[in-house]
Amino acid sequence: MSTLAVTAGVRFALLLGIGLAIGFALERFGFGFAGPWRRLILQRNGQGVMAQLVAIGLTAIAIQPLIAFAPGQMLGAIAPISLTMVLSAFVFGFAMQLIIGCGSGTLVNAGSGNLLAIVALPLFCIGSFLGTLLVPAAVAFTPHPVVSLPQTFGVWGSVGVTLAGLAVVGFIVARYTTEPLWNRKLMIAAIILAALAIVHVLVAGQPWGVVYGLGLWVAKGAVALGWDPSQAAFWTHPINAGALSASILTDTASLTSMGLIGGAALAAWHGAKDTPLWPTLKPWIFIVVALAGLMLGMSSRLAFGCNVGALFSGIASGSGHGWAWMLAGFLGSVAGVRGREWLWARASGEGA
Amino acid sequence: MSRRTGIVIVFICIFAVVSAEWLGGNPPDPYSAPDPMAFGSTSGASGAICSFAPGASQ
């Protein structure tokens, strides 16, 4: 990190450090997004989802005023809602349940040496890049209205609406769940995650995200192989063109994503010694996992974020697209959980 | 092989990506680095964010 501070800048070293801390916390505390949704759907266990809601709520209380009172310095994860955005969130929810790896989860799982995530991650990156090529067409051909709660209700009204929305979701989860609602370890993880997400906004000036960096890595590789980005509307926008021409060691999402992998590796290293690399599954499951990774990448780009950029940071920023993502992603997860059960039963030889 | 092998593979891949970009003529420039923190500084967010939707009214 000190090397990065000298060669690139202190801000970038801090972002790598934040990523490391997030990855370590997610892996060590077992905090995630896809897994808790699966446990809620299959086991009526809402502990993980309640922890997610607490983390998002705490983050929202801090970052919405920060962003509102520092215009020009701070940027919220505000994105439009559209038909393609909602459908893509559904597809993401489906695919993340197939491999039980969302945006952050795939990085953390890969960092902990999970072979399925290691196979999915490169395709996730490629999918994210392919999604950038489709975003301009999606924006041009379907209405993409932006619903910004801070603009609609003012900052404190937006915080109130966000917390009320989270409380409603929490109430529904509480009514549905048959297990104890609160888990001490997950709540500690939620508080840590919220604190790190707030620090991320203070340092980067924008909320935590994952997918942008993954697509950027492939875009840079494509340029090196002769691809002309001037033909792609997404990459000719000054912000994206700037990111494409700059080092990935100065890209916010890239640094936190690399940190996530590193932090998860640190947390998992000791236990990884006794865990076999190869899963006891039929080889064709790797093709399914690769396709799921591709779906995750493309859908998250078209949905303007994954579970981190859209669900976590979107809702915490007061973006309507975060709420639309939550609903569509959960419905996709309901289908994905069934798909996972069916596929894994055959891949393990139980349902063949 | 244990999952430690997987961790090492992932690290090699990340190191390869960063090294390839650096050696390809795109090292970071510390002299154009922004302030350590966006909050309270004149160098704010980069704008390169997942929710970025070029063409939509944001």
Side-chain angles (χ1 to χ4, degrees):
Chain A
M1 278 175 55
S2 56
T3 307
L4 183 61
V6 173
T7 56
V10 174
R11 181 185 294 190
F12 307 118
L14 290 174
L15 289 170
L16 182 66
I18 292 167
L20 278 165
I22 293 174
F24 190 89
L26 293 181
E27 174 66 21
R28 181 51 62 94
F29 287 94
F31 188 100
F33 291 86
W37 284 22
R38 174 184 167 83
R39 284 193 289 279
L40 179 66
I41 294 163
L42 282 183
Q43 303 164 10
R44 292 194 163 212
N45 180 335
Q47 293 174 352
V49 177
M50 291 304 287
Q52 290 171 11
L53 299 176
V54 168
I56 295 170
L58 290 174
T59 307
I61 291 169
I63 73 169
Q64 287 191 27
L66 271 174
I67 292 166
F69 296 135
Q73 297 169 11
M74 303 290 185
L75 184 71
I78 308 288
I81 301 174
S82 72
L83 180 62
T84 52
M85 182 254 129
V86 170
L87 289 175
S88 298
F90 179 92
V91 171
F92 189 95
F94 178 82
M96 81 174 183
Q97 291 301 338
L98 285 188
I99 60 171
I100 310 187
C102 47
S104 54
T106 303
L107 294 173
V108 167
N109 291 342
S112 64
N114 181 322
L115 190 60
L116 295 177
I118 293 171
V119 170
L121 184 55
L123 274 296
F124 195 151
C125 298
I126 292 169
S128 179
F129 169 66
L130 294 176
T132 64
L133 305 180
L134 298 174
V135 164
V139 171
F141 293 116
T142 56
H144 274 64
V146 175
V147 179
S148 168
L149 299 183
Q151 280 188 5
T152 307
F153 300 108
V155 62
W156 295 114
S158 173
V159 171
V161 169
T162 301
L163 295 180
L166 294 170
V168 168
V169 175
F171 179 75
I172 294 168
V173 170
R175 296 283 294 178
Y176 181 73
T177 189
T178 55
E179 303 280 331
L181 205 54
W182 304 103
N183 179 299
R184 181 183 166 87
K185 189 175 85 165
L186 291 176
M187 282 302 152
I188 292 171
I191 293 167
I192 292 172
L193 185 63
L196 290 168
I198 294 163
V199 173
H200 184 287
V201 172
L202 290 170
V203 173
Q206 61 193 40
W208 174 33
V210 168
V211 179
Y212 187 93
L214 305 185
L216 180 65
W217 299 352
V218 177
K220 283 174 169 292
V223 169
L225 293 172
W227 172 66
D228 180 10
S230 68
Q231 303 302 311
F234 184 91
W235 294 105
T236 53
H237 189 282
I239 288 175
N240 299 328
L244 198 54
S245 61
S247 166
I248 55 173
L249 295 177
T250 61
D251 175 61
T252 300
S254 297
L255 287 167
T256 49
S257 294
M258 285 189 276
L260 235 72
I261 292 172
L266 281 172
W269 181 255
H270 182 70
K273 184 178 63 176
D274 303 320
T275 313
L277 179 67
W278 292 94
T280 51
L281 297 166
K282 293 182 178 174
W284 58 260
I285 200 68
F286 286 99
I287 297 171
V288 175
V289 166
L291 288 173
L294 196 66
M295 288 164 65
L296 285 172
M298 292 181 72
S299 60
S300 55
R301 190 59 273 162
L302 287 163
F304 306 113
C306 60
N307 58 294
V308 174
L311 175 72
F312 187 96
S313 296
I315 292 177
S317 299
S319 176
H321 98 294
W323 291 102
W325 198 106
M326 177 189 268
L327 181 61
F330 188 77
L331 292 175
S333 284
V334 172
V337 164
R338 310 297 171 205
R340 161 103 184 180
E341 294 292 293
W342 189 85
L343 279 168
W344 253 246
R346 277 147 188 80
S348 60
E350 294 169 9
Chain B
M1 282 191 287
S2 73
R3 280 197 177 185
R4 282 192 176 179
T5 310
I7 294 173
V8 172
I9 290 169
V10 171
F11 268 79
I12 290 172
C13 291
I14 290 177
F15 185 74
V17 168
V18 173
S19 302
E21 200 213 8
W22 191 306
L23 296 173
N26 204 11
D29 176 11
Y31 296 102
S32 62
D35 293 333
M37 286 179 63
F39 184 70
S41 78
T42 53
S43 47
S46 71
I49 187 173
C50 299
S51 55
F52 180 64
S57 54
Q58 286 183 287

